Amino acid sequence: MPLHTHNFVETYKGLVGYGADRETDENTLAYYLQKFSDDRFIAMMTKRMTDAELLELFEFINRLLKNHLTESEYHHLFLKEDHDT
């Protein structure tokens, strides 16, 4: 069974747009991120990004992880590993 899932983008039927309301904004962001992380798309996109863009995106994601996840959540939810061992 795969550790990673991208089911939201496959099943979401709501509005994809930003600025309507918080719920739509959250759903739109989830939709975009799952589309963005598609294996074929991200392979193409990262090849086209500049070194500065790669670093900017990496640092932004790391900042979000540090600001919003506990260490346990980081290991369990993001890294998909058992942190207790």
Side-chain angles (χ1 to χ4, degrees), residues 7-36:
N7 297 323
F8 182 83
V9 72
E10 299 294 343
T11 60
Y12 181 64
K13 302 293 185 217
L15 175 67
V16 177
Y18 207 84
D21 56 67
R22 176 67 189 226
E23 182 180 6
T24 302
D25 291 350
E26 291 173 6
N27 290 337
T28 296
L29 185 58
Y31 184 89
Y32 265 54
L33 287 171
Q34 288 189 357
K35 298 285 275 182
F36 195 79

Side-chain angles (χ1 to χ4, degrees), residues 20-70:
D21 56 67
R22 176 67 189 226
E23 182 180 6
T24 302
D25 291 350
E26 291 173 6
N27 290 337
T28 296
L29 185 58
Y31 184 89
Y32 265 54
L33 287 171
Q34 288 189 357
K35 298 285 275 182
F36 195 79
S37 66
D38 175 77
D39 288 343
R40 289 188 307 168
F41 180 81
I42 197 64
M44 177 275 304
M45 189 66 166
T46 54
K47 296 290 185 222
R48 295 181 182 183
M49 292 169 69
T50 66
D51 290 347
E53 289 170 332
L54 290 170
L55 179 60
E56 179 182 11
L57 184 56
F58 179 78
E59 288 177 340
F60 177 70
I61 291 169
N62 276 318
R63 187 171 67 249
L64 289 175
L65 294 171
K66 288 178 184 178
N67 287 342
H68 299 287
L69 297 180
T70 65

